[in-house]
Amino acid sequence: MTKEHNQSALTRSEKPPAVSPEMDSKFLSFRPLLASKRPPPPPNKGYFFKFLNNEVKLIKWTFEDNGFREGKKDWMIGWANSALRSNVYQSLTRWQKVNHFPRSHEITKKDSLFKNFSRMQSLHGKKHYDFVPETYVLPGDLNDLTDTIEKDPSQLWIVKPSGSSQGKGIFLTNKVQEIPPGQPMVASKYIMNPLLINQLKFDMRIYVAVTSVDPLRIYIYEEGLVRFATSSYDLNNPENRFGHLTNYSLNKFAPNFQDLQEDGKGYKWTISALKEFLLKHKVDWDKIWNCIKDIVIKTMISIESTMTAGVNMFVPYRNNCFELLGFDILLDDSLRPWLIEVNLSPSLNIDTSIDFKVKCPMLSELLTIIGVPCIKYQKKRKEVPGSRPAWSNSFQPLNQELTKNEVRVIQETMREISRSEKFECIFPSRNSYTYKQFFDTERPLNALMMAHFSSGSKREMHLNQLHSYEAKIEKMRNKHYRLKKEEMRYNLTPSRFLGTKSNVKELAKL
């Protein structure tokens, strides 16, 4: 972290930590980290987190600043920087969460991403998935790539190792002979006409959160990072990595690199600074942003069936998983967004003041919207080790009364959205039906949420049923409270007042 962060100018937030005597809601509300020093160790209040592999300083400090302690047992949130093994998912309890879904790496591995897009293009037409450059997965597609290069020798191709990150092993070429034989790589048509600012190439890091796969819920963070190359863009010099690659981890070692620590002037900006710059030049930013949302939704739908199958197979409870993804988007000189890649665990390192400004509030809001319950609201239920209490996804016709499970899904979604600020829920939304054609399977809960958001009459009907359901619950809780008071007053057994076993079981489910 920079010296700027070490100064006392950054004061602590007036918002109390998530774990505090002031908390009065069912779910914890996390505050962003506003100081660069590690917060003092919090007292043990029974809230624990765990790193499932490598430690990340920002995550550790954010948890500690909000009253969590690191622990190996009884942890509530597990954080991993790579894909998790199936046994980790299978061992989760009702109140534990991890930051990955099974098989989400299907869009973060470069070869898998383009294989999925190729499948979607063959099913739905290239016009719906035309936001990725033409790509060949090597070594399997080497002959096809060779034929394509021979047809247009002037076109450059960017070659990347399938599992690399931070710009490692990437190079530009228009000669097949320069590609290492037999190695797993992807070769994509190089966008030779990128939009330039001050003669520099740039891309955008867009943060995306997925909180559920059935029903599918996708959020996009309105703030993000803009990463610039450090050398002027020159097609005649394809060997200059500092002019063609925008990875900050690479460009900070450029000879002319300077960290100006001022938004809109250095080699790293916020999305807000880019938006302001483009608006001054009469660019329609809303059109660009809506295209980016469309890219995100279609990308997630491309692996929806794969992820859902993994969740149904390995994950015990619907709310065990969430995901933070980093989408890298490039604009060409016609202002068309292109998806470059998706990152499974986007970097949360703090290298500049811009990182601090973007990543700290983003992380705290992510932890807030996923719904980490207070311990006092965690109902103790008997759990059988190794069992999978699979959730029901049955769906009644929209003109019938909602089932209890459907009511809970709608409540869960609306409450989750109400906890968000800069994370915008882009699926489900009012235009969700336009994406119905891209799903491999029409899932009842997706249909429910599409109807809820897209139809005013259906939403009104659902809300009336929700209010009726909540009133019924409140009535039963009040009755239960009165009976418990009588029980304590006269020291009587619960069965004397609570009635039949069926009533007891019904109340226990609330």
Side-chain angles (χ1 to χ4, degrees):
M1 296 186 183
T2 64
K3 292 181 180 179
E4 179 180 337
H5 299 137
N6 291 325
Q7 298 174 355
S8 59
L10 286 174
T11 58
R12 295 181 62 79
S13 172
E14 295 181 359
K15 180 179 178 180
V19 180
S20 66
E22 291 86 355
M23 58 184 180
D24 57 356
S25 62
K26 180 176 180 179
F27 297 105
L28 302 180
S29 179
F30 289 75
R31 67 180 182 185
L33 183 69
L34 295 183
S36 63
K37 295 181 180 180
R38 181 178 179 179
N44 186 353
K45 298 290 186 179
Y47 293 85
F48 298 96
F49 70 96
K50 180 182 179 180
F51 285 111
L52 302 177
N53 41 44
N54 297 332
E55 180 179 304
V56 181
K57 184 182 293 185
L58 176 60
I59 297 172
K60 182 183 182 74
W61 291 6
T62 298
F63 275 125
E64 292 179 341
D65 186 53
N66 280 279
F68 278 67
R69 295 167 67 100
E70 189 171 2
K72 295 183 178 180
K73 295 181 179 180
D74 299 325
W75 51 270
M76 297 174 66
I77 303 180
W79 196 280
N81 293 321
S82 58
L84 296 172
R85 295 180 180 273
S86 59
N87 65 300
V88 176
Y89 295 111
Q90 291 170 323
S91 64
L92 294 173
T93 64
R94 181 179 297 275
W95 309 112
Q96 287 181 317
K97 295 179 181 292
V98 292
N99 68 315
H100 292 306
F101 284 95
R103 301 174 181 171
S104 58
H105 62 272
E106 288 290 323
I107 55 169
T108 60
K109 289 185 63 180
K110 297 177 180 63
D111 51 354
S112 299
L113 172 68
F114 295 112
K115 287 177 181 178
N116 278 299
F117 282 165
S118 178
R119 180 181 66 86
M120 297 300 283
Q121 288 174 346
S122 64
L123 289 173
H124 307 289
K126 287 189 177 182
K127 67 177 182 178
H128 294 297
Y129 278 80
D130 61 350
F131 49 81
V132 287
E134 182 180 354
T135 300
Y136 296 92
V137 179
L138 306 178
D141 296 337
L142 184 60
N143 291 335
D144 294 335
L145 175 62
T146 301
D147 294 340
T148 304
I149 290 179
E150 289 177 352
K151 292 177 182 178
D152 186 6
S154 63
Q155 172 65 49
L156 287 173
W157 295 78
I158 184 166
V159 183
K160 307 176 182 180
S162 296
S164 70
S165 61
Q166 300 181 334
K168 298 174 182 174
I170 300 177
F171 63 94
L172 302 182
T173 185
N174 57 359
K175 299 180 177 62
V176 176
Q177 299 88 336
E178 296 179 353
I179 300 176
Q183 295 188 20
M185 309 188 88
V186 294
S188 300
K189 181 178 286 188
Y190 187 57
I191 307 299
M192 299 171 67
N193 60 327
L195 181 65
L196 303 179
I197 296 180
N198 301 324
Q199 296 302 310
L200 298 177
K201 181 182 175 182
F202 67 92
D203 74 352
M204 296 178 284
R205 167 61 58 84
I206 307 296
Y207 295 102
V208 172
V210 181
T211 58
S212 172
V213 295
D214 187 13
L216 184 61
R217 289 200 297 268
I218 309 170
Y219 294 80
I220 190 169
Y221 196 60
E222 68 179 37
E223 193 58 279
L225 297 174
V226 183
R227 294 91 54 91
F228 284 84
T230 47
S231 296
S232 296
Y233 183 73
D234 184 5
L235 278 176
N236 295 321
N237 187 12
E239 292 83 12
N240 182 9
R241 292 162 60 84
F242 298 125
H244 293 280
L245 303 184
T246 57
N247 307 72
Y248 185 83
S249 56
L250 168 71
N251 279 282
K252 65 182 179 181
F253 296 110
N256 61 328
F257 175 79
Q258 286 183 326
D259 189 359
L260 300 180
Q261 297 291 335
E262 188 173 354
D263 197 8
K265 291 189 176 180
Y267 293 109
K268 184 179 284 189
W269 296 7
T270 62
I271 292 292
S272 296
L274 176 65
K275 176 182 176 181
E276 182 180 356
F277 176 87
L278 294 177
L279 288 175
K280 286 181 179 179
H281 290 78
K282 311 300 182 183
V283 170
D284 187 349
W285 172 259
D286 289 339
K287 181 179 179 181
I288 294 173
W289 193 243
N290 287 332
C291 287
I292 292 174
K293 292 179 185 178
D294 181 68
I295 289 173
V296 169
I297 294 171
K298 288 179 177 176
T299 300
M300 295 311 308
I301 291 177
S302 72
I303 61 164
E304 182 270 344
S305 60
T306 302
M307 287 176 62
T308 301
V311 167
N312 290 338
M313 187 177 298
F314 301 120
V315 181
Y317 305 97
R318 184 174 61 214
N319 297 319
N320 280 144
C321 302
F322 65 97
E323 192 89 46
L324 176 66
L325 299 166
F327 279 65
D328 291 346
I329 303 290
L330 176 74
L331 293 178
D332 65 19
D333 58 9
S334 65
L335 301 176
R336 178 182 179 181
W338 294 87
L339 176 63
I340 303 304
E341 63 184 32
V342 183
N343 297 270
L344 180 69
S345 295
S347 171
L348 293 177
N349 293 331
I350 304 298
D351 296 315
T352 70
S353 59
I354 305 301
D355 289 310
F356 202 87
K357 180 179 179 180
V358 172
K359 296 176 182 179
C360 292
M362 183 273 296
L363 177 61
S364 63
E365 186 175 335
L366 172 69
L367 296 174
T368 299
I369 65 173
I370 63 174
V372 181
C374 299
I375 289 180
K376 64 181 179 180
Y377 289 99
Q378 296 181 10
K379 302 172 186 177
K380 303 299 181 183
R381 300 185 183 184
K382 186 176 180 181
E383 297 180 12
V384 180
S387 67
R388 287 199 69 259
W391 54 86
S392 170
N393 64 352
S394 60
F395 175 57
Q396 300 295 328
L398 294 177
N399 59 349
Q400 295 186 13
E401 186 174 350
L402 297 174
T403 67
K404 186 177 295 187
N405 183 58
E406 291 163 358
V407 168
R408 286 174 175 167
V409 168
I410 294 176
Q411 284 180 324
E412 176 186 279
T413 302
M414 301 310 294
R415 290 171 180 170
E416 188 178 271
I417 293 174
S418 71
R419 294 193 295 269
S420 65
E421 294 180 14
K422 290 189 175 182
F423 269 110
E424 177 191 356
C425 184
I426 58 175
F427 194 95
S429 66
R430 290 187 177 182
N431 66 340
S432 294
Y433 267 113
T434 61
Y435 298 97
K436 183 179 179 180
Q437 60 181 309
F438 303 116
F439 284 88
D440 291 340
T441 303
E442 184 175 351
R443 304 192 192 282
L445 293 181
N446 279 335
L448 170 71
M449 298 313 302
M450 287 180 187
H452 179 80
F453 278 90
S454 63
S455 171
S457 59
K458 293 294 189 298
R459 184 161 58 253
E460 184 178 355
M461 181 186 72
H462 291 169
L463 291 176
N464 289 336
Q465 294 183 30
L466 283 175
H467 294 155
S468 175
Y469 180 77
E470 290 171 347
K472 179 181 177 182
I473 291 179
E474 187 64 26
K475 183 177 179 180
M476 292 188 68
R477 282 177 174 160
N478 290 337
K479 179 181 179 182
H480 178 63
Y481 177 72
R482 291 195 303 270
L483 294 175
K484 288 295 290 184
K485 286 185 67 175
E486 291 295 317
E487 174 191 334
M488 294 175 64
R489 180 179 177 184
Y490 296 108
N491 195 25
L492 298 174
T493 59
S495 60
R496 173 81 176 272
F497 284 88
L498 293 180
T500 64
K501 289 184 179 180
S502 61
N503 288 337
V504 175
K505 289 182 178 179
E506 182 178 2
L507 194 58
K509 294 178 181 178
L510 299 181

